[in-house]
Amino acid sequence: MLQSLVYMSSATQPFDDPALDEVLNYSRERNTADGLTGMLVHRSGRFMQLLEGPHDAVIATYSRIVGDPRHDEVRLLVEESIHTRRFPEWTMAFDRDEQVEPPEGFDEFLASGDASADASRARELLRWFRNHPMAAPTASLGKHRRD
């Protein structure tokens, strides 16, 4: 049995393309080592991530994210046991300069959408995030408040 969770957070600092590329590379390496897959989506200063894998690894990673000063307003949206991974690799999607070649693990989810027939709550949350532009959380940038 595998664990899956989806959370949303606000960035405490702005992330440009090079910083997001760095997050992508580091996270793919770390999550692969921990047996985790999923998708991280960034848009307008907000993150939404679906993590899936062994229960202890998912919970440890989520706990690390909650304690990461780059995240604020971390909210757990869905947590469930699953039998099969929905995302067999770990990828990341974010708005980026189309003139620059995307790094390995970059997903076109924000630009092209999701053709999956998966109607799970987790997948629907990612679709919602993609389809509902959000104002950047400028009020929280630079703060490290935890609720």
Side-chain angles (χ1 to χ4, degrees):
M1 189 70 67
L2 300 168
Q3 189 73 14
S4 173
L5 67 76
V6 178
Y7 74 87
M8 183 183 241
S9 69
S10 296
T12 58
Q13 61 193 29
F15 281 84
D16 58 10
D17 282 1
L20 288 166
D21 288 349
E22 186 178 315
V23 168
L24 170 60
N25 291 330
Y26 174 80
S27 297
R28 278 180 57 84
E29 184 178 306
R30 175 94 191 232
N31 289 344
T32 299
D34 291 343
L36 300 175
T37 58
M39 177 183 275
L40 175 62
V41 183
H42 176 270
R43 173 177 269 165
S44 300
R46 298 203 188 267
F47 289 99
M48 181 178 279
Q49 182 166 207
L50 180 144
L51 285 170
E52 57 189 11
H55 180 273
D56 292 346
V58 168
I59 299 305
T61 299
Y62 178 67
S63 295
R64 204 169 45 249
I65 290 163
V66 168
D68 187 330
R70 296 174 296 177
H71 292 272
D72 192 18
E73 301 174 358
V74 180
R75 299 285 185 263
L76 181 62
L77 303 175
V78 174
E79 183 176 12
E80 60 190 346
S81 295
I82 58 174
H83 295 285
T84 306
R85 293 177 190 263
R86 296 180 183 113
F87 294 87
E89 295 184 31
W90 193 89
T91 59
M92 184 172 175
F94 52 92
D95 294 322
R96 65 179 293 119
D97 182 352
E98 295 177 10
Q99 306 297 322
V100 179
E101 183 70 25
E104 181 182 353
F106 178 78
D107 195 292
E108 294 290 339
F109 175 77
L110 288 174
S112 62
D114 182 17
S116 170
D118 180 0
S120 67
R121 291 183 299 161
R123 182 76 76 157
E124 290 301 322
L125 280 169
L126 289 171
R127 290 179 182 130
W128 174 87
F129 189 84
R130 176 189 180 271
N131 294 321
H132 290 83
M134 305 168 84
T138 54
S140 68
L141 288 179
K143 293 183 181 178
H144 298 285
R145 180 180 53 79
R146 298 273 181 251
D147 291 334

